[in-house]
Amino acid sequence: MRLPQILPGQSIDFAQPWKHLPPFEIGTVHLEVSDDSVSPAVTSTAAVSLTLIPWLTVLVVLLIASVVIAGYVIWRRRKVPQPVRHDSLKAAAR
């Protein structure tokens, strides 16, 4: 990619498409820009932290986990009989 001439102290913003972007990534992106038109060649580097999280996938996983946990709790409550209170037995005996 050819960039315009940049003088010392100047900065520019540019965009470059990222092919094969990973769906989940935590790491650092390193950028190196070189100018070979001068002698000796000038190189500038930069790095930035990157966190890519597929929020829709995380939401679906949490939703499925919640349904499984709720189903298990309901199944356990049906399987284990509720304890009988002694007050209701005394009232029934009278």
Side-chain angles (χ1 to χ4, degrees), residues 31-36 38 40-45:
L31 175 68
E32 181 175 303
V33 178
S34 298
D35 184 2
D36 298 331
V38 295
V42 178
T43 302
S44 181
T45 60

Side-chain angles (χ1 to χ4, degrees), residues 6-12:
I6 305 170
L7 298 175
Q10 285 184 320
S11 65
I12 62 167

Side-chain angles (χ1 to χ4, degrees), residues 43-60:
T43 302
S44 181
T45 60
V48 65
S49 295
L50 175 71
T51 304
L52 301 174
I53 299 174
W55 291 110
L56 182 60
T57 305
V58 171
L59 180 64
V60 169

Side-chain angles (χ1 to χ4, degrees), residues 20-93:
H20 310 294
L21 183 68
F24 179 80
E25 184 71 35
I26 297 175
T28 305
V29 175
H30 298 275
L31 175 68
E32 181 175 303
V33 178
S34 298
D35 184 2
D36 298 331
S37 66
V38 295
S39 181
V42 178
T43 302
S44 181
T45 60
V48 65
S49 295
L50 175 71
T51 304
L52 301 174
I53 299 174
W55 291 110
L56 182 60
T57 305
V58 171
L59 180 64
V60 169
V61 168
L62 288 175
L63 182 65
I64 290 172
S66 298
V67 168
V68 168
I69 290 170
Y72 177 75
V73 168
I74 291 170
W75 177 73
R76 287 291 293 169
R77 286 186 180 172
R78 284 185 170 179
K79 189 175 180 182
V80 177
Q82 296 295 325
V84 178
R85 293 180 50 194
H86 296 293
D87 297 339
S88 61
L89 289 176
K90 290 179 183 177

